[in-house]
Amino acid sequence: MFAFKQGSYLKNFAKAAAITAAAIFSFAPAATAESPFHTGVWQLNTPDGPRGLVVSDWLVFENGLPKRWLYRRAGTNDANQFDFFTRTMNDSGYTPVGIRVYRTGDNSMKYTLAPKGEDPIEVTAERLSIPNFANSCLSVEGKGKRFFGNWVGTDGSKLKKLNVQRNRITIDGERRNVTVEQVRVGRMGIIEDGKPVAFFTDAGGDYAVLQWFKPGVTDAQMRDQEREILDFASEEIVRNPGGTCDRQIASRLKAMK
């Protein structure tokens, strides 16, 4: 996930406690009354120098785009420590690298990568952004209206243009009559001919993800607040062409020392 060098200087919790992708657990909701502590732009203090870390409520960004989904591990949602299972965009199962966030101050944390079967890798980090869930670019809170309107495709997405309305979606000029409704904070469900066909999920920043279901997803599964669907036919990242978050994130990253 990040090109940290592994070594004995980065072993601050036992290998037995490392997050693994093989565990069975129930998901805790990723977004609650406000954005999680980890949401924002950070400076990671690695042995090779400072590196930027951009994280929305439930995605880690890489190379400017949302890349790795975060699923909070049940039982680790106390005031300071948060453990996450991860999944790479368009993968059908967990990525064998877990993440731990441990709050050490109002704007500082320890950030740990836990590759399955390897020693955890821990670095310190300082926040570069201002935590404010109501106005934060990377938060998914309070942004239901932003789902509707025009979006454009990004690298790796098949579509070039997307327009979303409550009763239709238009993809590259082809209109489909659907119902679009919120199924949880930061996520819309898309229903066509009475069947769930996709999620439209806020990725934070200027981005959202159109997550096409494989056949057989039920209405109950689409609306489930506790268990996530992990296996999609495809996940397409789209960008709000009028968004300003990319510029704000780039400005924060310039503050690294």
Side-chain angles (χ1 to χ4, degrees):
M1 191 179 307
F2 295 93
F4 296 139
K5 289 183 178 179
Q6 206 160 315
S8 59
Y9 45 80
L10 294 173
K11 300 175 182 177
N12 280 21
F13 65 92
K15 183 183 290 188
I19 310 166
T20 67
I24 299 174
F25 65 103
S26 61
F27 292 99
T32 52
E34 60 182 33
S35 283
F37 174 76
H38 65 259
T39 301
V41 183
W42 296 83
Q43 174 179 312
L44 299 178
N45 303 310
T46 81
D48 296 325
R51 297 197 181 199
L53 172 69
V54 179
V55 192
S56 70
D57 283 10
W58 42 41
L59 274 160
V60 177
F61 281 53
E62 290 185 21
N63 299 318
L65 291 176
K67 178 70 173 181
R68 301 188 188 275
W69 295 96
L70 298 173
Y71 304 99
R72 195 171 66 211
R73 186 177 182 181
T76 61
N77 56 346
D78 62 38
N80 294 313
Q81 181 174 305
F82 309 87
D83 287 358
F84 299 96
F85 296 88
T86 66
R87 180 177 68 83
T88 304
M89 195 76 65
N90 279 309
D91 279 0
S92 60
Y94 306 122
T95 304
V97 178
I99 289 175
R100 170 173 288 176
V101 169
Y102 189 86
R103 185 203 308 254
T104 56
D106 289 343
N107 294 292
S108 62
M109 67 175 175
K110 293 179 181 178
Y111 185 79
T112 307
L113 299 180
K116 184 178 180 181
E118 299 180 23
D119 292 321
I121 304 166
E122 180 182 282
V123 297
T124 61
E126 282 82 43
R127 183 186 295 278
L128 300 173
S129 59
I130 300 172
N132 184 338
F133 85 89
N135 297 306
S136 169
C137 269
L138 290 161
S139 169
V140 304
E141 293 289 337
K143 297 180 179 178
K145 292 182 180 179
R146 90 179 197 104
F147 280 109
F148 301 106
N150 293 317
W151 300 82
V152 295
T154 61
D155 291 346
S157 61
K158 296 178 181 178
L159 64 84
K160 295 181 180 179
K161 293 183 179 180
L162 169 69
N163 179 271
V164 179
Q165 302 298 328
R166 291 193 182 276
N167 60 356
R168 71 177 184 273
I169 57 173
T170 305
I171 300 173
D172 294 334
E174 180 180 347
R175 173 173 169 165
R176 298 171 62 166
N177 295 322
V178 300
T179 301
V180 180
E181 59 183 88
Q182 182 169 299
V183 294
R184 68 164 66 176
V185 172
R187 173 169 284 168
M188 297 290 184
I190 301 176
I191 302 165
E192 186 175 36
D193 297 328
K195 297 179 181 179
V197 294
F199 282 141
F200 194 45
T201 301
D202 193 334
D206 293 327
Y207 301 93
V209 186
L210 186 58
Q211 299 174 287
W212 294 106
F213 297 145
K214 289 186 173 181
V217 172
T218 66
D219 188 74
Q221 287 174 313
M222 180 182 71
R223 299 178 189 279
D224 195 327
Q225 298 288 308
E226 304 236 339
R227 299 194 71 83
E228 290 278 357
I229 298 171
L230 301 180
D231 192 6
F232 295 91
S234 66
E235 294 179 286
E236 300 191 71
I237 302 169
V238 294
R239 184 183 187 279
N240 174 1
T244 62
C245 289
D246 278 352
R247 290 197 298 273
Q248 294 181 49
I249 291 168
S251 176
R252 296 294 181 186
L253 290 172
K254 286 182 180 178
M256 283 194 299
K257 299 178 181 179

